[in-house]
């Protein structure tokens, strides 16, 4: 008998190669894991702490600058534990330099993006958890291309560490130089890459030299609403902020806007969100992109208000960033104002998100990492 291959060979790049994960990096490991790795390489365990202090504590990534390690040791350990994961392809800035989008090439050629946003009182990075996304939300640029692969823990962490270094260099004028906030609102569905995202969060919050030392409360995980994963996250000893991309208060419309709703309905996902809020004491952020004549009707505001009244929730309305070729547009301002008014009248705390990074396609839902479909750089964008 002959056995048929389970996966037919695809034309073009084989799937296995496309899905190749990057080499191991120290940010994939906790400190004991790094010590074990260093020992296996025949070096004393304290070298792990030295390298970690450079990478997480001083934001130094160039082995040549790690002068407290003997040159030969430096080369050997850097080769094994600090492989280059992200190669910057392009950096764009707007909002007078307060918003910077970075496009990275990964070891397998995949492209992902991150955004650094400086404010008067804080510096936030928006990071990607997957190359592409499999959730297929029709209004989101990333959703259009499908999923290429999950990012490794270190590929996720390195976006934040790299941009923390950019912020530390004073590049974001008028903002603190220390990175304070991380939002998983770049490319990908973080809860579909659960284990690596949770490990990445652990690295982000562990004090230096094990990690970046951010506050758990300053980390936001945004999800389409994968109910079992939300429940699992509630059981981790982490109190990160959960953002739920709701976008519609009724199943009929949400089935279309957030296709995973066909699997977990509005009521189920909200139940999971309230359980998350109860377990962590953290207010859940309800994300709602305002799409003209699609989800912005007064009755939908009222329905949303009824669903959220009395709950530990805050609504973030996001003016839709139209993606190229999309039939949808942002709601007119008066419609948006009425939507806000009705939610507040229902007792629901509501704000409208600023639209940072719009001109450089760095705003919510615009990250597409399509280097070769590059549109003309807008005036003010700096390469
Ligand atoms: N997969 C996660 C993270 C994605 S991006 C999630 O869906 O939550 C973060 C937010 O940007 C989500 O709320 C997403 O729905 C929203 N978004 C996506 N496309 C958008 C667009 N074109 N305009 C405004 N917001 C958008």
């Amino acid at each position: 008998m002959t056995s048929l291959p389970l996966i037919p060979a695809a034309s073009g790049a084989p799937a296995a190669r496309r899905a190749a994960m990057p080499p191991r990096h120290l940010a994939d490991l906790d400190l004991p894991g790094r010590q074990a790795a260093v020992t296996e390489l025949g070096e004393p365990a304290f070298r792990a702490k030295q390298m970690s202090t450079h990478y997480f504590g001083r934001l130094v990534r160039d082995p040549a600058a790690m002068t407290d390690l003997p040159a030969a040791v430096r080369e050997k350990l850097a080769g094994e534990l600090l492989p280059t994961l992200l190669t910057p392809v392009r950096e764009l800035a707007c909002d007078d330099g307060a918003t910077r989008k970075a496009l990275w090439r990964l070891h397998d050629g995949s492209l992902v993006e991150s955004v650094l946003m400086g404010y008067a009182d804080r510096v936030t990075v928006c990071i990607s958890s997957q190359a592409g996304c499999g959730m297929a939300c029709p209004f989101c640029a990333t959703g259009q291309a499908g999923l290429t692969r999950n990012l490794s823990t270190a590929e996720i962490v390195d976006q934040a560490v790299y941009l923390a270094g950019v912020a530390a260099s004073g590049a974001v004028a008028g903002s603190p130089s220390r990175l304070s906030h991380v939002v998983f609102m770049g490319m990908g569905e973080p809860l579909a890459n659960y284990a690596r995202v949770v490990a990445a969060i652990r690295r982000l919050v562990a004090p230096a030299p094990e990690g970046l030392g951010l506050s758990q409360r300053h980390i936001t995980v945004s999800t389409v609403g994968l109910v079992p994963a939300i429940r699992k996250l509630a059981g981790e000893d982490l109190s990160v902020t959960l953002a739920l991309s709701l976008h519609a208060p009724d199943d009929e419309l949400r089935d279309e806007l957030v296709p995973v709703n066909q699997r977990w309905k509005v009521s189920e996902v909200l139940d999971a969100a309230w359980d998350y809020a109860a377990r962590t004491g953290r207010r859940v952020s309800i994300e709602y992109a305002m799409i003209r004549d699609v989800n912005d009707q007064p009755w939908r505001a009222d329905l949303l208000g009824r669903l959220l009244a009395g709950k530990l929730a805050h609504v973030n309305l996001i003016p839709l960033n139209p993606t190229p070729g999309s039939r949808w547009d942002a709601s007119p301002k008066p419609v948006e104002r009425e939507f806000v008014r009705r939610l507040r009248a229902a007792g629901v705390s509501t704000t409208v998100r600023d639209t940072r990074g719009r001109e450089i396609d760095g705003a919510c839902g615009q990250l597409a990492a399509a280097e070769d479909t590059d549109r003309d750089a807008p005036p003010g964008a700096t390469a």
Side-chain angles (χ1 to χ4, degrees), residues 26-41:
L26 66 81
D28 286 311
L29 308 169
D30 60 10
L31 195 52
R34 286 170 221 163
Q35 285 162 339
V38 164
T39 313
E40 260 167 48
L41 294 165

Side-chain angles (χ1 to χ4, degrees), residues 139-140 184-186 188-190 222-224 245 247 287 289 318-321 323 364-365:
F139 57 90
C140 174
F184 284 83
M185 292 189 180
E189 166 52 40
S222 183
T223 179
V224 289
S245 297
H247 304 311
E287 311 293 293
I318 316 170
L320 182 82
N321 291 305
T323 57
C364 301

Side-chain angles (χ1 to χ4, degrees), residues 317-347:
L317 297 179
I318 316 170
L320 182 82
N321 291 305
T323 57
S326 162
R327 60 186 191 280
W328 287 323
D329 205 353
S331 303
K333 284 292 153 190
V335 172
E336 183 185 282
R337 279 194 292 272
E338 178 60 10
F339 207 89
V340 172
R341 194 192 66 73
R342 284 174 183 258
L343 284 171
R344 288 186 181 154

Side-chain angles (χ1 to χ4, degrees), residues 9-199:
S11 58
R17 205 192 73 77
R18 275 207 312 274
M21 296 301 272
R24 175 185 68 174
H25 183 281
L26 66 81
D28 286 311
L29 308 169
D30 60 10
L31 195 52
R34 286 170 221 163
Q35 285 162 339
V38 164
T39 313
E40 260 167 48
L41 294 165
E43 293 297 326
F46 70 85
R47 298 281 183 221
K49 214 166 195 171
Q50 281 179 310
M51 290 190 76
S52 301
T53 299
H54 283 295
Y55 178 77
F56 281 112
R58 305 199 180 108
L59 308 174
V60 165
R61 56 182 53 239
D62 175 9
M66 303 179 181
T67 49
D68 55 337
L69 286 99
V73 175
R74 212 189 288 164
E75 303 247 312
K76 170 167 142 191
L77 292 186
E80 293 286 340
L81 288 168
L82 282 173
T84 298
L85 298 177
L86 309 176
T87 305
V89 177
R90 187 175 311 148
E91 207 187 299
L92 295 167
C94 71
D95 304 325
D96 288 330
T99 307
R100 287 157 183 273
K101 180 174 82 165
L103 170 68
W104 318 105
R105 188 184 308 284
L106 309 181
H107 83 110
D108 62 345
S110 300
L111 296 168
V112 296
E113 297 176 333
S114 327
V115 187
L116 174 65
M117 291 165 285
Y119 301 86
D121 60 339
R122 70 200 146 97
V123 174
T124 300
V125 297
C126 175
I127 58 176
S128 297
S129 55
Q130 297 181 311
C133 185
M135 298 298 127
C137 303
F139 57 90
C140 174
T142 310
Q144 305 318 297
L147 177 66
T148 302
R149 70 166 167 89
N150 285 322
L151 300 192
S152 71
T153 295
E155 283 174 323
I156 298 169
V157 171
D158 202 33
Q159 297 168 60
V161 173
Y162 197 114
L163 292 177
V166 172
S169 74
V172 196
S175 295
S177 56
R178 195 176 187 284
L179 172 70
S180 52
H181 290 68
V182 170
V183 297
F184 284 83
M185 292 189 180
M187 303 172 73
E189 166 52 40
L191 296 188
N193 187 14
Y194 187 88
R196 296 182 192 90
V197 164
V198 167

